Amino acid sequence: MKIAVVIPAAGMGRRMGTSQPKQYLALAGRPLICHTLERFKTCESVVVVVEPERVELFRREILGTHDFPREWHVVAGGPERQDSVRNGLEYVPNTCDVILVHDGVRPLITFALIQTVTHKAFDAGAAIVAIPTRDTIKRGVEGFVSETIDRTHLWQAQTPQAFRADIIKKAFAAAYRDNFSGTDEASLVERIGVPIALVQGSDWNIKITTPEDLIIAESLVKQFPLLCKEGSGEVER
Ligand code: C5P
């Protein structure tokens, strides 16, 4: 099985409140994005999507100085995450069977989880990593609760999201044809009627969004090698 990964990392990260986008902030002494890239070194093809003005700098400063393969693609992102992923998909070789999409700002993903979701997608067509929602979910309107939503079947989608190559390409073509925009790839694939398997994710696999997340990640990253060595490495629930 030939595997490609598209890593969207072209966001500005405004919620972090720093002048530098969050993917370049230091985590355990090196840029956060380097931890994420490290997890995908065994993929056949890696496409990293960055802000258009950073493409050359990224090749030089991130791939070059942190010992990543020079042949990895670094491509310019678009205004929304979906546009960035679309740009990345253009560089995936036609020979790849499964295409993964993984947020550049989720550095604590394990090889075990990447493998599980990849194999599931190869067999089923599409699979995403997700965790069951544990908090009670309310709908809020103008500062007041308007509804409590039954959380029985609710899951929080994480990444990687994995798809057989033909399926994700078809889903993106349909989304742009219909002017549909989604906040993850699975929502595009759902629209074309392909069932998406759920793979139990991990509480470790956080998306670094706020300064608090970075503090949590600093503490988790110290335990990370241990997590990766232990069986599947995923948190039991
Ligand atoms: O904004 P959000 O936290 O959902 O971003 C998830 C990932 O998508 C991040 O790694 C971010 O850099 C990336 N992104 C992108 N292009 C955009 C917006 C976000 O590649 N236009």
Side-chain angles (χ1 to χ4, degrees), residues 7-13 15 22-23 33 49-50 77-85 102-106 183 207-209:
I7 300 181
M12 303 301 286
R15 283 165 291 185
K22 54 195 175 179
Q23 51 274 29
I33 185 76
V49 191
V50 304
E80 302 296 332
R81 182 183 187 285
Q82 178 176 312
D83 305 315
S84 294
V85 173
H102 184 70
D103 292 329
V105 289
R106 285 189 199 266
T183 50
K207 180 163 82 166
I208 312 286
T209 308

Side-chain angles (χ1 to χ4, degrees), residues 55-236:
V55 171
E56 278 315 313
L57 190 69
F58 193 95
R59 281 201 189 104
R60 212 174 45 241
E61 302 281 319
I62 301 289
L63 296 191
T65 58
H66 295 273
D67 207 23
F68 290 107
R70 289 295 187 136
E71 60 271 21
W72 283 6
H73 295 287
V74 182
V75 312
E80 302 296 332
R81 182 183 187 285
Q82 178 176 312
D83 305 315
S84 294
V85 173
R86 178 171 73 157
N87 292 358
L89 287 172
E90 307 260 315
Y91 289 81
V92 171
N94 284 332
T95 49
C96 287
D97 305 298
V98 172
I99 302 177
L100 310 176
V101 179
H102 184 70
D103 292 329
V105 289
R106 285 189 199 266
L108 295 162
I109 182 70
T110 60
F111 288 125
L113 205 36
I114 295 170
Q115 274 186 341
T116 308
V117 74
T118 303
H119 283 102
K120 196 80 187 171
F122 188 63
D123 294 341
I128 63 168
V129 171
I131 53 174
T133 299
R134 282 181 297 210
D135 292 328
T136 297
I137 306 290
K138 309 280 187 191
R139 190 183 306 283
V141 178
E142 293 171 1
F144 288 87
V145 171
S146 69
E147 188 190 354
T148 299
I149 295 161
D150 179 9
R151 70 178 178 203
T152 316
H153 297 293
L154 295 188
W155 291 70
Q156 290 168 221
Q158 301 182 335
T159 67
Q161 302 200 341
F163 311 94
R164 280 210 303 263
D166 54 319
I167 290 176
I168 187 170
K169 285 179 187 164
K170 198 171 156 201
F172 267 74
Y176 280 90
R177 184 196 61 217
D178 303 341
N179 224 352
F180 174 85
S181 95
T183 50
D184 73 349
E185 292 61 54
S187 53
L188 277 57
V189 172
E190 288 158 39
R191 294 181 69 246
I192 61 163
V194 175
I196 297 163
L198 287 165
V199 169
Q200 172 88 43
S202 160
D203 289 328
W204 290 68
N205 186 22
I206 58 172
K207 180 163 82 166
I208 312 286
T209 308
T210 63
E212 292 80 5
D213 295 331
L214 199 56
I215 296 168
I216 294 167
E218 277 290 351
S219 139
L220 292 178
V221 81
K222 294 194 186 94
Q223 310 293 327
F224 194 62
L226 192 68
L227 172 82
C228 293
K229 274 186 205 129
E230 284 172 3
S232 76
E234 305 315 322
V235 177
E236 288 296 324

